[in-house]
Amino acid sequence: DLPSGGLLSARAAGATKPPDRDGSARVARSLKGRKMPRKRALDGALLSVKSRARVAKLETRGLDAGEVLPAARGSEESIGLPDESPTDGEATATGLDDGGAEDDFALADVPSDTLAAVMMLRNKFPPSVPMCPLALKTHIYSVVNDRTAVDRQLEELNRNNKVQIIKLASNRNDYGVALWEDYASAVCACGEDRRALSGGEEGIKGASELFGWFLDSLVARISHCYVTDFQMERELRAFLASVEGADPNAYDEHITLLIRSGLLTRRTSVHGGYWISVPNVGIFVKSLNTGRKRLLGIVRRRKRGEMLQWDLEKVKLPKTTLGMPFHLRDALGSGVFEQIETTCGPLLRLANKKQSEDM
């Protein structure tokens, strides 16, 4: 308890602050007048102290301290430290490169949104249907919102033999999409199945090589889901001419064999030609048409033509083997139902009554 005079005399006698050894106080006083936040000023002072300490350490190692530039703020990159990253030769020798080639290879293997949707829907195909697993284009629309991108990617995938598009003879303009591996397995199974050669076709020359030619030399080279009459006749006659003992004039017999095997269907239009198909697709189309009518009948009998999706999924559709989830994805992707989010869950409402009546 010193009096006021004693306190002044103590200050005058030299009872001051401890000495500034690291220079932080001096830097803080120099930054005091600048217009910057207090935290930024303290960070700058601390970084300046660390920079001087790092320069002293480099000088002790025998390095030129003049190359080290003090930084007001930043990391070690801003104070000019030597670059310790390996050179190109060292990276190649140790294998620690940037991985650009591997990244490009990995990106090339990443499937597009459409191909990923086809893979997912393929695994959900009902196993009770005895045919090649496929996904409807309307199913892809229910997963991927951009329909223009879906159509463009499907054409590209079909050209690159990633998928095979198949025209379905249903009540609508439906297309099925099968993975190329599944489609190739179905074609090879037709060639191995001797029942496809029943009815006197065993004597046809080139019948055993026909299915391999159909897959590798015809379907793999076309970019559409159909083949014209001119192209089919030209390619088939060239194939028969290359087979020993085969008659190039036996064109109709080989076409009949492909149709009976389920790999081709007649294209009933003014252009003619043949649609690319898969065996047992008629069973699938019949079940698809039946399930669509049953589903629309259930929703149409409601008061306002609407029903909760959860309640609709519990209903069993008679006379169809595809199941309710399969038909719901088809109805949502084709725009038959309008999905509305409610507090009780998704509500399905008939979007177009005239369209549903035509179906």
Side-chain angles (χ1 to χ4, degrees):
D1 296 335
L2 297 176
S4 59
L7 181 59
L8 293 176
S9 60
R11 289 180 179 179
T16 58
K17 297 180 181 180
D20 185 13
R21 296 180 179 179
D22 55 357
S24 59
R26 178 173 55 80
V27 176
R29 287 195 301 271
S30 63
L31 297 175
K32 183 176 181 181
R34 300 184 182 181
K35 295 182 179 180
M36 62 175 62
R38 178 177 178 82
K39 185 177 182 302
R40 179 178 174 184
L42 294 178
D43 291 344
L46 181 61
L47 184 58
S48 179
V49 173
K50 289 182 178 180
S51 301
R52 288 195 297 274
R54 192 60 180 270
V55 169
K57 185 183 294 185
L58 292 176
E59 290 178 349
T60 57
R61 294 180 182 178
L63 299 177
D64 187 7
E67 297 179 357
V68 182
L69 301 177
R73 54 183 305 182
S75 59
E76 293 180 354
E77 299 177 356
S78 60
I79 60 177
L81 295 180
D83 188 8
E84 298 179 357
S85 60
T87 60
D88 296 340
E90 296 176 353
T92 305
T94 58
L96 299 177
D97 54 353
D98 56 353
E102 296 181 358
D103 294 341
D104 295 340
F105 180 76
L107 290 176
D109 293 342
V110 175
S112 60
D113 295 341
T114 303
L115 183 57
V118 173
M119 293 178 178
M120 180 193 68
L121 296 170
R122 183 262 181 202
N123 297 329
K124 296 182 179 181
F125 189 79
S128 58
V129 182
M131 64 168 295
C132 170
L134 53 83
L136 294 177
K137 186 184 286 189
T138 54
H139 286 182
I140 305 175
Y141 289 158
S142 65
V143 178
V144 184
N145 295 328
D146 193 352
R147 301 195 175 194
T148 304
V150 169
D151 296 338
R152 183 176 63 253
Q153 292 175 5
L154 280 179
E155 293 179 359
E156 182 179 358
L157 292 172
N158 192 35
R159 287 194 302 267
N160 297 332
N161 291 334
K162 297 292 185 180
V163 300
Q164 178 58 45
I165 302 177
I166 299 169
K167 179 68 173 65
L168 303 178
S170 60
N171 297 335
R172 307 181 198 167
N173 191 20
D174 291 320
Y175 290 90
V177 181
L179 294 177
W180 180 257
E181 292 79 8
D182 296 334
Y183 177 76
S185 300
V187 175
C188 294
C190 292
E192 297 174 357
D193 191 359
R194 293 302 178 184
R195 291 178 299 177
L197 303 178
S198 61
E201 284 85 354
E202 293 89 344
I204 298 178
K205 297 296 182 179
S208 58
E209 299 89 355
L210 177 64
F211 297 97
W213 164 83
F214 178 79
L215 178 64
D216 299 331
S217 300
L218 184 65
V219 181
R221 295 182 179 180
I222 60 178
S223 59
H224 306 285
C225 58
Y226 62 88
V227 56
T228 61
D229 290 325
F230 174 76
Q231 184 179 7
M232 187 68 186
E233 183 176 359
R234 181 189 61 186
E235 297 292 338
L236 185 54
R237 289 185 183 276
F239 162 71
L240 295 177
S242 62
V243 177
E244 183 179 359
D247 185 10
N249 296 324
Y251 165 80
D252 296 334
E253 297 178 357
H254 290 80
I255 289 293
T256 303
L257 179 58
L258 292 174
I259 294 177
R260 291 184 58 181
S261 301
L263 300 178
L264 288 178
T265 56
R266 192 62 183 174
R267 188 182 178 191
T268 57
S269 64
V270 294
H271 303 286
Y274 302 91
W275 292 110
I276 304 298
S277 182
V278 290
N280 298 329
V281 70
I283 301 175
F284 171 77
V285 172
K286 181 179 179 181
S287 181
L288 178 64
N289 293 333
T290 304
R292 284 172 173 175
K293 293 180 181 179
R294 298 284 180 177
L295 177 60
L296 290 175
I298 293 173
V299 180
R300 195 181 296 121
R301 285 194 295 267
R302 293 287 175 164
K303 184 177 180 180
R304 295 182 178 85
E306 59 187 24
M307 190 174 180
L308 288 175
Q309 183 174 345
W310 293 350
D311 297 337
L312 194 57
E313 290 176 351
K314 301 177 183 178
V315 179
K316 294 183 179 181
L317 293 176
K319 298 181 180 181
T320 179
T321 58
L322 299 178
M324 179 61 77
F326 188 91
H327 290 286
L328 279 179
R329 286 192 295 267
D330 173 52
L332 291 174
S334 59
V336 176
F337 289 155
E338 180 183 359
Q339 191 174 22
I340 304 172
E341 295 295 334
T342 63
T343 56
C344 299
L347 178 69
L348 301 182
R349 178 184 299 169
L350 289 176
N352 192 350
K353 294 184 178 180
K354 293 182 180 181
Q355 180 181 1
S356 62
E357 290 175 359
D358 296 338
M359 297 166 50

